[in-house]
Amino acid sequence: GHAVIVVAEGCGDTLLKSSGERDAGGNKKLADVGPWLRDQILSYAKRMQQPLTIKYIDPTYTIRAVPANTNDSVYCSVLGAHAVHVAMAGYTGIVVGKVDERYVMLPN
């Protein structure tokens, strides 16, 4: 099977202790939950003797050019929901996007 896991940047603060440092923009640097979660999942699969491959992508600050607004949040939520539906339907090699105000599946 396949799975897509999307983790919010700030969710790790309840599980991991952050350094307390600040980034160049003055924002608190949050604990890096992505690698921790990846390691936890890999460890569990190993204990269960299940083969597992994880493709870990960390966009972090590369996608931030301006602060997110409400429209960004809604757009990302809808894209995420469509991506999950695509994955649950069993499609692979697909990226979800918006074309002419419609959400579509595009071949990767």
Side-chain angles (χ1 to χ4, degrees), residues 4-106:
V4 175
I5 300 173
V6 180
V7 181
E9 180 183 30
C11 77
D13 262 8
T14 59
L15 301 169
L16 306 169
K17 184 174 174 136
S18 62
S19 66
E21 296 177 35
R22 302 256 174 205
D23 64 13
N27 301 306
K28 178 183 167 188
K29 281 189 174 180
L30 302 172
D32 201 354
V33 70
W36 177 84
L37 182 60
R38 177 200 57 214
D39 294 344
Q40 294 295 312
I41 293 169
L42 286 169
S43 174
Y44 177 79
K46 188 175 183 178
R47 284 194 314 273
M48 296 293 119
Q49 298 179 354
Q50 291 292 316
L52 178 66
T53 301
I54 292 183
K55 308 281 190 276
Y56 175 71
I57 300 169
D58 180 8
T60 314
Y61 289 96
T62 59
I63 60 171
R64 291 187 185 163
V66 295
N69 61 29
T70 305
N71 290 334
D72 294 329
S73 296
V74 171
Y75 182 57
C76 289
S77 293
V78 173
L79 282 178
H82 279 78
V84 169
H85 288 296
V86 166
M88 298 283 289
Y91 290 100
T92 60
I94 298 290
V95 65
V96 177
K98 191 174 183 183
V99 177
D100 294 330
E101 297 303 310
R102 293 183 182 203
Y103 292 93
V104 296
M105 296 182 295
L106 301 166

